[in-house]
Amino acid sequence: MRVIMYAGTRLMTGDEIADAVLEYCAALAEVGTAETVEIPVLTDEGVRASARLLVGPASQIVAEDVETSFDELVDSDVVSLLRSRTQSHRPVAASMPRDADDSESAWIDDY
């Protein structure tokens, strides 16, 4: 389990969820925008709840591992959504495929 420190509040959540939130924050910072996310958290009593966060370039979020008797909080739908939103801010560059018989010299300009 991990605790996310957000705006002076400790939010206990699962490892994958915390990692996905941090990656999303980094992607948002790269493009200079902010968005809201809702993630599952556990209360001090171990009851599942949710937290809504405004994340972006100015977010000061830290995640740290914690020992707890509670089961790992897992939510594959939230992790998938966060990863998808992260990827939408990090488009993949297009490249031209090379033919197997292309020699290296064909890709070098003669000067």
Side-chain angles (χ1 to χ4, degrees):
M1 287 285 235
R2 296 219 172 105
V3 169
I4 293 176
M5 301 295 291
Y6 177 82
T9 302
R10 295 172 52 93
L11 303 168
M12 190 179 331
T13 193
D15 293 351
E16 279 192 303
I17 297 164
D19 291 345
V21 168
L22 292 176
E23 282 296 315
Y24 188 44
C25 289
L28 291 172
E30 290 168 9
V31 296
T33 191
E35 296 181 16
T36 58
V37 296
E38 189 167 334
I39 62 167
V41 296
L42 291 179
T43 65
D44 292 339
E45 295 79 28
V47 176
R48 187 179 173 127
S50 65
R52 194 163 171 87
L53 313 174
L54 173 63
V55 294
S59 297
Q60 296 182 1
I61 297 177
V62 175
E64 63 182 31
D65 293 332
V66 293
E67 300 254 346
T68 180
S69 60
F70 303 129
D71 291 336
E72 179 74 15
L73 184 54
V74 176
D75 192 319
S76 58
D77 290 339
V78 167
V79 171
S80 293
L81 176 64
L82 289 170
R83 288 183 178 156
S84 173
R85 289 170 77 174
T86 298
Q87 190 60 41
S88 72
H89 292 290
R90 293 179 171 164
V92 177
S95 63
M96 290 180 39
R98 287 180 44 179
D99 292 331
D101 62 343
D102 282 349
S103 68
E104 188 68 31
S105 63
W107 291 86
I108 301 173
D109 289 336
D110 291 331
Y111 288 98

